[in-house]
Amino acid sequence: MTLLDQTLVEEAGKKSALIWVRGPEGPARSLWHVWHDGAACLVGGGPLEQPLEGLGLTDGGTATVSVRSKDKGGRLVVWPARVVELAPHGERWTAAVGELKGKRLNAPDFDTIADRWARECRVLRLEPAGAPVQQPGSMPDDSHAAPPLPTAATTRRRIPAGLPKLLFRKRR
């Protein structure tokens, strides 16, 4: 990887709060992360954290990471990654968790979150493992659009018949 490629991957990773990760299994999934020590660090797999199931991310495995542009929101760079699972309470785990803890929004147990992550979750590092597959000047022409994954959170139903009267009634 050239210095320019490395800089592009690192700057894009630092500025974007979300990355799209495609493991050996399943479709790509958006995950929040922090850029720390030359890699995208993320936490997940527990009941209160982002799901990692179905991606096939294993220690020593590979993944493909897509990062969007903070300015325009479109895909900026896609790079191959090597997955490293950090052992709980190790030196690298503690440093990564310190960064992740500061970015975890609305944690119900902020003071003891590191202990919960050590018990229930996985902390992963996605380290760049080669030159970017896509970058400015070498983007594909197709959109890469995909239908949303099925979820139980979908609540699309007909609106109640009386709701328009409540919303659009004239105030006196």
Side-chain angles (χ1 to χ4, degrees):
M1 183 177 346
T2 67
L3 183 58
L4 183 61
D5 292 342
Q6 183 179 355
T7 303
L8 175 64
V9 167
E10 188 164 336
E11 285 302 312
K14 284 179 181 178
K15 292 185 180 194
S16 183
L18 283 177
I19 56 176
W20 279 259
V21 178
R22 180 183 309 272
E25 303 168 10
R29 185 175 297 151
S30 63
L31 302 171
W32 70 271
H33 76 289
V34 296
W35 191 266
H36 175 68
D37 197 26
C41 296
L42 52 100
V43 63
L48 298 177
E49 300 302 331
Q50 58 193 347
L52 298 177
E53 299 82 22
L55 289 173
L57 300 176
T58 58
D59 190 28
T62 60
T64 303
V65 178
S66 300
V67 185
R68 68 183 180 134
S69 165
K70 186 171 182 174
D71 298 337
K72 304 290 183 189
R75 186 176 51 241
L76 178 62
V77 63
V78 178
W79 47 276
R82 185 172 67 93
V83 180
V84 177
E85 186 167 352
L86 302 178
H89 301 294
E91 183 178 329
R92 290 173 53 178
W93 184 89
T94 304
V97 165
E99 293 291 321
L100 287 162
K101 183 179 176 183
K103 298 293 183 178
R104 174 62 166 92
L105 301 176
N106 303 326
D109 56 349
F110 186 77
D111 295 334
T112 60
I113 198 167
D115 295 330
R116 180 170 57 82
W117 285 349
R119 267 190 333 269
E120 302 172 357
C121 299
R122 298 170 59 205
V123 177
L124 303 176
R125 282 177 52 90
L126 302 178
E127 300 173 344
V133 179
Q134 298 173 15
Q135 61 185 344
S138 67
M139 290 291 192
D141 292 333
D142 54 337
S143 72
H144 285 243
L149 297 174
T151 175
T154 304
T155 58
R156 188 76 185 204
R157 296 186 194 132
R158 291 182 59 135
I159 63 170
L163 187 61
K165 289 180 183 176
L166 290 173
L167 293 176
F168 301 114
R169 70 180 178 195
K170 293 183 182 179
R171 298 189 187 259
R172 295 181 187 195

